[in-house]
Amino acid sequence: MKRYVTVWWSSLTGIFKNGDVGMEESKGIHMYTELACFWLCSLIGFGLASLEKFVGLCGGIDEVFRVPDHHIRKMEGLSPRFKQEILKTRDISRLEKEYNKLSQRGISFIGQEHKDFPQKLKVIPECPFGLFLTGTLPSPDKPSVAIVGARGATVFGQETARNFAKVLSLHGIQIISGLALGIDGYAHRGALEAGQCTWAVLGCGINICYPKENIRIFEQIKERGGLVSEFLPGQEPLPWHFPFRNRIISGLADGILVVEARKRSGSLITAGFGLDQGKDIYAVPGRPTDALSAGCNSLIADGAKLVTRPEDILEDYKIYVKNFAEDKFMLDNLEKLVYPSLCLDAKSIEQIAAQTCLDYAQTARTLVSLVHKGCARQVGKNYYIRRG
């Protein structure tokens, strides 16, 4: 080890400050590998292709601090601006100070070479150099499903996402999404309402809630699950970040469920990454005339598994489904008659009465009771959907 450091000493001038050769020995190669990954994440705006090329030309992540400046200036295939940024920011003392500030802010950093870095991400194309984290990472010992879809989701889509997330998480499946408005937010809500953990992959710094409308979910996930990002804290949510972060959403998951998506949708980008990564792809079908169903119907036509109930996913993981509604809420005979007639598409009292052969007053009273027990929800005047 001593000989190795001595050989490289001439190339470290201006990088290790005050001639502190012993610093590398005392902290070990691991610390410098983490710092290197941290530094590379700060350069992500230049693109992963450029970063990966630079790392390759250096001979690996462990070498990026050791290559002399004049070698970097001569590297081919890297833009002058990128080289200039490398030389300007390759300062271990400064990076170490910034790295140490993370823990003071309640933020962890896990580099690509760290033992706790998710194995699922190591095998995907364009693996991130590191992850910023508040909370925990999904357990590698449990299955995970990413639930994604339209931001401008319908009530049907919102409740479908919430219901799938709730039932899947109650049966031990970890729920991952992107904290966006619409389907993402309702997927997180479903898991949290079930008392389970959920994970959000952000398209901005880990300390920024975007969109602000989801601040309550954002704060809850810190305590029950985790917030994950490859972008430096403080990094604003730029448009290109979101399709870019989708590869991490799919990478952390075993399966991807798409609930409502237009023909050109970021959710389909996530599903596309999932296909490339060998994940299970699921889609909720919709009416052919609905624009928000076009993406899901297209996925099904291309081979995604059509799902209408959480059980359709759970069976792939060989998990037995329990009827929580009847067991937990102890439904009476009328409630057991009305509850199955409800679905995630709103129905009027008249429709439910006709389907159950009850009179209007009986149906209305029973629906009120189901709402009180948390099995149904009123979404408009005299219109109800299923919950639970």
Side-chain angles (χ1 to χ4, degrees):
M1 178 66 180
K2 196 87 169 177
R3 178 175 175 275
Y4 184 82
V5 174
T6 303
V7 168
W8 279 101
W9 173 241
S10 61
S11 68
L12 299 177
T13 304
I15 301 176
F16 291 138
K17 302 297 181 182
N18 302 318
D20 189 3
V21 185
M23 186 168 74
E24 178 161 359
E25 291 180 297
S26 65
K27 298 193 175 182
I29 294 295
H30 170 70
M31 182 59 197
Y32 285 106
T33 304
E34 281 291 281
L35 278 181
C37 290
F38 173 69
W39 175 49
L40 292 167
C41 282
S42 74
L43 300 170
I44 203 168
F46 289 94
L48 273 179
S50 294
L51 289 171
E52 288 176 348
K53 184 162 192 175
F54 168 63
V55 171
L57 290 170
C58 290
I61 292 175
D62 290 340
E63 307 298 321
V64 297
F65 288 140
R66 299 191 175 96
V67 177
D69 288 1
H70 67 274
H71 284 181
I72 292 175
R73 293 188 183 97
K74 293 178 182 178
M75 285 179 177
E76 296 183 358
L78 301 178
S79 72
R81 192 169 71 89
F82 183 36
K83 292 179 188 177
Q84 184 180 8
E85 188 68 15
I86 289 170
L87 296 172
K88 184 175 76 174
T89 60
R90 196 175 63 148
D91 181 337
I92 283 184
S93 293
R94 179 186 62 80
L95 290 167
E96 196 170 27
K97 289 176 184 175
E98 292 179 5
Y99 182 92
N100 290 335
K101 287 178 183 176
L102 293 176
S103 60
Q104 299 170 15
R105 302 164 69 181
I107 299 171
S108 303
F109 178 79
I110 301 174
Q112 188 185 96
E113 301 297 318
H114 194 281
K115 63 180 179 63
D116 293 330
F117 189 83
Q119 186 62 36
K120 288 176 183 175
L121 291 184
K122 288 186 177 182
V123 298
I124 70 170
E126 298 189 322
C127 171
F129 284 104
L131 298 173
F132 296 92
L133 172 70
T134 301
T136 65
L137 285 168
S139 169
D141 301 322
K142 295 181 180 179
S144 300
V145 169
I147 301 179
V148 296
R151 286 175 169 80
T154 64
V155 172
F156 168 78
Q158 294 168 359
E159 291 303 320
T160 297
R162 188 205 297 258
N163 183 58
F164 267 81
K166 185 178 290 188
V167 175
L168 292 177
S169 62
L170 281 169
H171 286 82
I173 290 184
Q174 301 171 114
I175 302 300
I176 299 168
S177 197
L179 200 72
L181 291 175
I183 297 303
D184 289 24
Y186 277 87
H188 292 307
R189 281 189 183 95
L192 291 168
E193 287 172 4
Q196 306 301 311
C197 293
T198 181
W199 287 264
V201 183
L202 308 183
C204 56
I206 201 80
N207 58 332
I208 295 175
C209 177
Y210 181 83
K212 294 188 184 301
E213 291 89 336
N214 281 340
I215 184 65
R216 186 179 175 189
I217 302 172
F218 179 86
E219 294 297 334
Q220 286 179 304
I221 291 175
K222 289 181 184 179
E223 305 299 324
R224 299 219 307 264
L227 302 168
V228 181
S229 176
E230 66 182 313
F231 300 105
L232 282 176
Q235 179 62 259
E236 293 297 322
L238 302 177
W240 67 268
H241 288 180
F242 295 94
F244 194 63
R245 66 92 195 260
N246 289 351
R247 79 193 195 288
I248 298 179
I249 293 177
S250 59
L252 288 171
D254 298 296
I256 295 118
L257 168 64
V258 183
V259 182
E260 291 193 333
R262 296 181 184 276
K263 199 161 188 177
R264 295 176 181 273
S265 164
S267 304
L268 300 190
I269 295 174
T270 307
F273 281 128
L275 281 171
D276 292 340
Q277 297 162 359
K279 311 293 183 173
D280 300 319
I281 308 298
Y282 305 99
V284 176
R287 289 181 290 240
T289 54
D290 290 351
L292 284 175
S293 299
C296 291
N297 291 344
S298 176
L299 283 175
I300 293 166
D302 290 339
K305 180 174 178 177
L306 183 158
V307 296
T308 58
R309 310 170 305 154
E311 292 90 330
D312 298 330
I313 295 175
L314 290 170
E315 67 185 15
D316 286 353
Y317 299 95
K318 297 180 171 50
I319 297 173
Y320 168 75
V321 180
K322 187 175 177 61
N323 188 330
F324 286 104
E326 292 193 14
D327 285 359
K328 181 176 179 180
F329 298 107
M330 299 178 64
L331 304 186
D332 64 28
N333 289 335
L334 282 179
E335 291 165 347
K336 287 179 181 178
L337 183 62
V338 170
Y339 180 74
S341 71
L342 295 170
C343 63
L344 297 176
D345 208 356
K347 291 182 179 180
S348 67
I349 296 178
E350 290 87 349
Q351 289 174 302
I352 298 167
Q355 189 174 339
T356 57
C357 298
L358 297 174
D359 63 37
Y360 184 94
Q362 280 181 311
T363 306
R365 284 196 300 272
T366 305
L367 285 167
V368 169
S369 178
L370 287 170
V371 169
H372 180 71
K373 290 184 176 181
C375 297
R377 186 159 79 92
Q378 187 173 357
V379 294
K381 187 175 181 180
N382 296 332
Y383 278 82
Y384 292 83
I385 60 172
R386 172 184 288 208
R387 289 192 67 183

